[in-house]
Amino acid sequence: DALKDQIDAWIKAKGYDRTKILLSRATITFPFSAPENIDKLTHYPAYLFPCYRKKETDYNITYYYNCDDINSNGNAKGVLDRTFNYYSGDITSTIQKMITKERSELDNTYNFWLMPISSSTNSYGTTSYSINIFDYNGGQLNGPASSNPPTLQLFYTIMK
């Protein structure tokens, strides 16, 4: 909800028509403070990407799914930058859909959870991404109240 509120406030402040905004890229960045002991960087997963959760009501089971952007060719996949201490991933199609929808139209697909992901490549060279439920990670990201908060960088045009 907070991200949708910020996007709507930005649209209103700029005086844009939400149906005329066309994103070419939306990059979300999650910074973190470097640990004092550099060896603790191993506590951070190699990839961290926004996911959403969905409850299956018949059996009361919760499933987590990667945002669709993870499968787009050329997108940053939430890669850990150990030099500058942040994760960065492209979620352009998800944010485009969020921009064009009214709050009442949003479902849990837009309520992000950050999850470690892993990749695997089959014998045909096709790479797939899934949530990594096997490794324990204990890194801490900066939150919205920190001096170096998460950011969403938009590259866009306004259609006439």
Side-chain angles (χ1 to χ4, degrees):
D1 289 348
L3 181 57
K4 176 63 173 163
D5 291 341
Q6 289 179 345
I7 289 171
D8 286 347
W10 168 75
I11 291 169
K12 184 177 180 181
K14 293 287 191 180
Y16 294 151
D17 175 349
R18 75 177 58 257
T19 64
K20 303 285 185 189
I21 299 171
L22 181 62
L23 295 181
S24 61
R25 180 157 304 220
T27 302
I28 196 162
T29 303
F30 297 96
F32 60 90
S33 299
E36 289 181 22
N37 179 349
I38 201 73
D39 291 337
K40 292 196 177 197
L41 271 177
T42 59
H43 293 204
Y44 290 84
Y47 298 94
L48 194 64
F49 201 75
C51 300
Y52 64 95
R53 69 180 184 172
K54 203 172 207 176
K55 244 190 179 179
E56 194 278 297
T57 53
D58 291 340
Y59 298 101
N60 198 25
I61 298 172
T62 301
Y63 293 100
Y64 291 86
Y65 300 93
N66 293 320
C67 289
D68 291 340
D69 299 88
I70 195 75
N71 296 314
S72 298
N73 288 334
N75 275 0
K77 311 291 187 203
V79 176
L80 169 63
D81 185 319
R82 293 177 192 270
T83 302
F84 296 107
N85 302 319
Y86 67 82
Y87 287 91
S88 183
D90 294 336
I91 56 171
T92 307
S93 69
T94 301
I95 298 298
Q96 181 72 60
K97 291 173 193 169
M98 186 183 282
I99 285 173
T100 58
K101 291 184 180 202
E102 296 293 335
R103 174 178 291 291
S104 61
E105 298 175 288
L106 296 181
D107 59 15
N108 282 342
T109 306
Y110 302 95
N111 186 7
F112 297 140
W113 293 74
L114 293 177
M115 301 293 260
I117 58 171
S118 58
S119 64
S120 60
T121 304
N122 66 19
S123 60
Y124 298 105
T126 303
T127 302
S128 61
Y129 297 88
S130 59
I131 295 172
N132 182 348
I133 59 170
F134 302 107
D135 297 326
Y136 175 77
N137 299 289
Q140 183 175 358
L141 302 175
N142 293 350
S146 77
S147 61
N148 187 15
T151 60
L152 176 64
Q153 188 175 32
L154 303 176
F155 296 94
Y156 65 95
T157 190
I158 304 298
M159 298 183 298
K160 291 188 177 193

